[in-house]
Amino acid sequence: MNKTPGNSLPKRTLAASLRWLKQFVHLWSLQTLTSLPDRLKNIWQQLIGSYWFIPTACVLLGIFLAPILVSIDEHFDRQTVKELTFAFTGDDQAARAIMTAIAAAVLGVAGTTFSITIAVLSMASSQFGPRLLRNFLTDTPNQFVLGAFIGTFSYSLLVLKSIHKYDVEFGVPQLAVTFAIIMAIICALLLVYFVQHMVHAIQASHVIKDASDDAIENIHYWYNDNCDIQHQRDVASEDVTQFSNWPATAIYAPSSGYLQQTYIESLVTLAQDYGGVLQMCTNLGNFVTDKNVMGYFYQRPADHLNYLQKTKTSHLAIMPRRPDGVFWQRFATCIRLDRRPTHSNDIAYSLGQVTEIAIRALSPGINDPKTAINCLQSLTTCLSIMMRRQPPSPYHFYTPPHDKDTSNITVNQPRVAILAVITKTPKISDFIDISLGEIRRYATTDLMVLKALCQSMTDLNYARVNSAQRQTLLHELSLIGRAGEENLSYSELIVDLMAMCSQARQFIHNKDAKHQHFEYVSEFSAHIHKALQTKSS
């Protein structure tokens, strides 16, 4: 009887397990640890974005504090406690009554605060849009107030449970009861603060400010003060211009969803290991299916200069490899896809929150053009910051370590930065179109908002740094004039808007515009001003 198949089955299973474990360790050691700070930041944002994190932490804190303070009471001098004027010195019945009242009161107030929060969320969803709900859910003061209430409730229950065993031998846990009384007073003050905070939180100006601050934070994350000219200085420049001619392999999305994060360092490591250039064609925040092509992997040709710079040291050699199964597994860990759009470092998503508030304010059900204008001014501030700063470079490189081997068989050549990853970077014209352009499309019949858009173009002109940005502003200005000309009801309104567009266009064309003040003066106002000057003279 042949027992080889039976004997080889455990060996094959063990070998397959070891091979899988080796691939797993290799995958996560290279990919996960490479972008560990970004991954930890995403996990932290997800925890903060959940409504349960801080309240749960407060409940756990209350659970831990109760036995600790009760244990301290066992070893604390009772006479010293009685000398404290604010300390509780009653008997066990009074302690039970106080702890029961505190537990019942804070639980009832916690239910009230939760009801108020739900009502505010419902109103915010209908008035400002469902995407703004995250700003309310992640509001730290709201979470902390609810956590203080339920944490005090948990603490009071545990202290109440431990009172009976101190009736004869130890007496009442006076410090624990005193701390519960202090927490009850703090909860009463937090309730007043919570009501005041929610009154301010539902104001449109406050919601717009929080959304614009979020956008500015993302702008500072991506846009630098200074230009990174590394690829212009010591980079194999032929890669930047010739990579599109190399053999290409399409990269498909591992699953359907919204692209929430790309871990650049992990992508660079992946491209480095496989000796090619990885090009991402999908913007952050875009939706893809599992059949969508997200980019391409360009493999360097065999006669490329980098392949000729091989040494005896294996980690210095750049070896060509075609994408295999491990490549696709590693690529799946280099990006983060989610089935719903969530908060990330996406600038377009942050600007879209402010834009959504403006669009809803222009709807017939709300009809609040003043709020739309406030959104325009906040978006202008964000775009102005972007126009003054250096946009992120789409090119990402790695520099091989220097070769210290001085043997004769080693080819020592200078190693320059090698192109590894190319990302798709939106231009300032794209951000203007998805923010101010979207508002223009919904404000075609509102003269006040159209004139505010014209004013935004002149405000952005102060921040422009090149002629391309000037052409973008002029193009948007022509679209504003066309929208009003085709949709405004009265000819007088059209004439007024076209006059402002004309003055704004002249101001943008002026080479010395950055040192001049722009103020639109209508024909009627100019006529009145001239008449008053003539009369006074």
Side-chain angles (χ1 to χ4, degrees):
M1 182 176 180
N2 189 7
K3 297 183 179 180
T4 303
N7 295 333
S8 63
L9 180 60
K11 295 181 179 180
R12 291 200 304 268
T13 304
L14 179 61
S17 301
L18 292 177
R19 184 169 57 255
W20 179 87
L21 181 61
K22 182 179 179 180
Q23 292 180 354
F24 179 81
V25 173
H26 178 72
L27 172 66
W28 287 98
S29 62
L30 291 178
Q31 295 302 113
T32 305
L33 297 181
T34 303
S35 303
L36 186 60
D38 291 336
R39 298 177 189 273
L40 292 178
K41 182 180 179 181
N42 289 332
I43 295 175
W44 176 252
Q45 288 180 347
Q46 292 177 6
L47 289 177
I48 294 297
S50 60
Y51 196 67
W52 58 267
F53 179 68
I54 294 181
T56 303
C58 292
V59 171
L60 295 177
L61 181 61
I63 293 175
F64 283 117
L65 278 179
I68 291 175
L69 290 180
V70 170
S71 299
I72 293 175
D73 264 305
E74 296 180 7
H75 305 86
F76 205 78
D77 186 10
R78 300 292 173 178
Q79 190 63 32
T80 304
V81 177
K82 293 180 179 180
E83 294 177 358
L84 300 176
T85 56
F86 61 88
F88 172 79
T89 57
D91 57 4
D92 60 321
Q93 293 183 357
R96 290 194 188 93
I98 291 176
M99 298 306 297
T100 303
I102 292 175
V106 295
L107 184 61
V109 175
T112 303
T113 57
F114 186 75
S115 300
I116 295 175
T117 303
I118 294 299
V120 170
L121 291 177
S122 177
M123 187 202 69
S125 178
S126 60
Q127 184 172 357
F128 302 121
R131 289 202 292 182
L132 271 298
L133 291 181
R134 179 193 171 274
N135 296 347
F136 290 91
L137 290 175
T138 57
D139 190 13
T140 304
N142 291 346
Q143 298 181 11
F144 180 75
V145 169
L146 181 61
F149 290 147
I150 60 178
T152 303
F153 171 75
S154 303
Y155 172 83
S156 301
L157 284 183
L158 294 179
V159 174
L160 180 63
K161 177 179 177 296
S162 62
I163 287 178
H164 70 280
K165 68 178 182 180
Y166 293 94
D167 292 345
V168 178
E169 184 176 358
F170 299 104
V172 178
Q174 297 172 342
L175 287 180
V177 176
T178 301
F179 183 77
I181 296 174
I182 295 174
M183 286 303 302
I185 297 174
I186 294 176
C187 288
L189 297 177
L190 287 177
L191 177 61
V192 177
Y193 166 76
F194 174 77
V195 175
Q196 184 266 348
H197 177 73
M198 294 304 294
V199 169
H200 287 281
I202 61 178
Q203 294 180 2
S205 58
H206 190 275
V207 176
I208 295 171
K209 178 182 178 300
D210 287 345
S212 60
D213 289 344
D214 188 21
I216 293 175
E217 181 180 354
N218 289 335
I219 291 172
H220 289 316
Y221 176 83
W222 289 106
Y223 283 68
N224 300 320
D225 292 329
N226 301 317
C227 177
D228 181 13
I229 58 174
Q230 176 74 13
H231 63 281
Q232 302 175 5
R233 191 170 57 242
D234 55 357
V235 159
S237 58
E238 63 273 6
D239 287 358
V240 177
T241 57
Q242 299 179 7
F243 75 92
S244 59
N245 299 324
W246 300 344
T249 302
I251 298 177
Y252 297 92
S255 61
S256 300
Y258 296 89
L259 181 61
Q260 298 298 316
Q261 185 74 30
T262 55
Y263 301 107
I264 301 298
E265 294 182 359
S266 297
L267 289 175
V268 170
T269 303
L270 179 60
Q272 177 183 1
D273 291 345
Y274 281 80
V277 175
L278 199 153
Q279 182 184 24
M280 295 293 294
C281 302
T282 305
N283 276 329
L284 203 65
N286 286 3
F287 179 81
V288 295
T289 66
D290 55 355
K291 299 298 183 181
N292 281 31
V293 176
M294 298 188 64
Y296 299 92
F297 178 76
Y298 295 92
Q299 187 175 359
R300 288 184 173 86
D303 58 348
H304 194 271
L305 178 63
N306 293 332
Y307 291 158
L308 303 179
Q309 295 180 354
K310 298 181 181 180
T311 66
K312 292 191 309 178
T313 311
S314 60
H315 72 274
L316 292 179
I318 304 175
M319 302 298 297
R321 281 198 294 168
R322 294 184 61 84
D324 51 14
V326 177
F327 177 90
W328 304 117
Q329 294 178 14
R330 293 178 59 179
F331 176 77
T333 65
C334 294
I335 61 175
R336 183 167 65 90
L337 295 172
D338 202 334
R339 296 301 297 269
R340 58 187 179 88
T342 57
H343 177 268
S344 61
N345 295 323
D346 185 11
I347 300 177
Y349 182 87
S350 302
L351 295 178
Q353 290 183 322
V354 186
T355 304
E356 185 174 359
I357 298 174
I359 293 175
R360 286 181 172 269
L362 294 172
S363 63
I366 299 177
N367 193 20
D368 186 9
K370 288 291 186 181
T371 298
I373 293 176
N374 290 340
C375 294
L376 282 175
Q377 295 165 349
S378 297
L379 290 172
T380 302
T381 301
C382 298
L383 294 171
S384 176
I385 296 175
M386 296 173 64
M387 294 176 69
R388 295 193 304 266
R389 300 172 73 91
Q390 174 64 28
S393 174
Y395 302 105
H396 305 274
F397 308 87
Y398 71 91
T399 304
H402 293 287
D403 185 14
K404 297 182 180 179
D405 191 353
T406 58
S407 60
N408 296 329
I409 62 175
T410 301
V411 181
N412 290 314
Q413 296 183 6
R415 292 181 176 270
V416 297
I418 300 174
L419 180 64
V421 176
I422 303 174
T423 56
K424 187 175 182 180
T425 305
K427 298 176 292 185
I428 187 65
S429 58
D430 299 327
F431 290 118
I432 292 179
D433 182 67
I434 64 175
S435 57
L436 302 182
E438 286 293 330
I439 298 176
R440 166 178 49 79
R441 298 181 185 98
Y442 284 88
T444 55
T445 59
D446 196 312
L447 177 64
M448 183 187 302
V449 179
L450 291 176
K451 293 176 71 173
L453 284 168
C454 291
Q455 183 65 43
S456 296
M457 296 301 107
T458 58
D459 293 338
L460 291 176
N461 185 64
Y462 290 106
R464 66 171 178 83
V465 295
N466 52 50
S467 58
Q469 294 178 353
R470 173 191 289 175
Q471 294 301 322
T472 300
L473 298 179
L474 292 174
H475 175 69
E476 185 66 26
L477 195 62
S478 64
L479 294 178
I480 295 171
R482 182 178 176 182
E485 188 176 11
E486 295 180 356
N487 295 278
L488 290 177
S489 304
Y490 303 101
S491 59
E492 292 81 0
L493 303 180
I494 298 176
V495 171
D496 188 21
L497 177 62
M498 298 307 294
M500 184 173 184
C501 290
S502 177
Q503 294 183 21
R505 188 176 296 105
Q506 295 176 5
F507 177 78
I508 295 176
H509 277 295
N510 190 353
K511 296 182 179 180
D512 198 35
K514 293 186 178 181
H515 305 286
Q516 297 179 1
H517 173 68
F518 175 81
E519 182 178 1
Y520 168 62
V521 180
S522 63
E523 183 179 356
F524 178 76
S525 298
H527 177 72
I528 294 298
H529 181 69
K530 183 177 180 180
L532 291 176
Q533 286 183 339
T534 304
K535 185 176 180 180
S536 61
S537 60

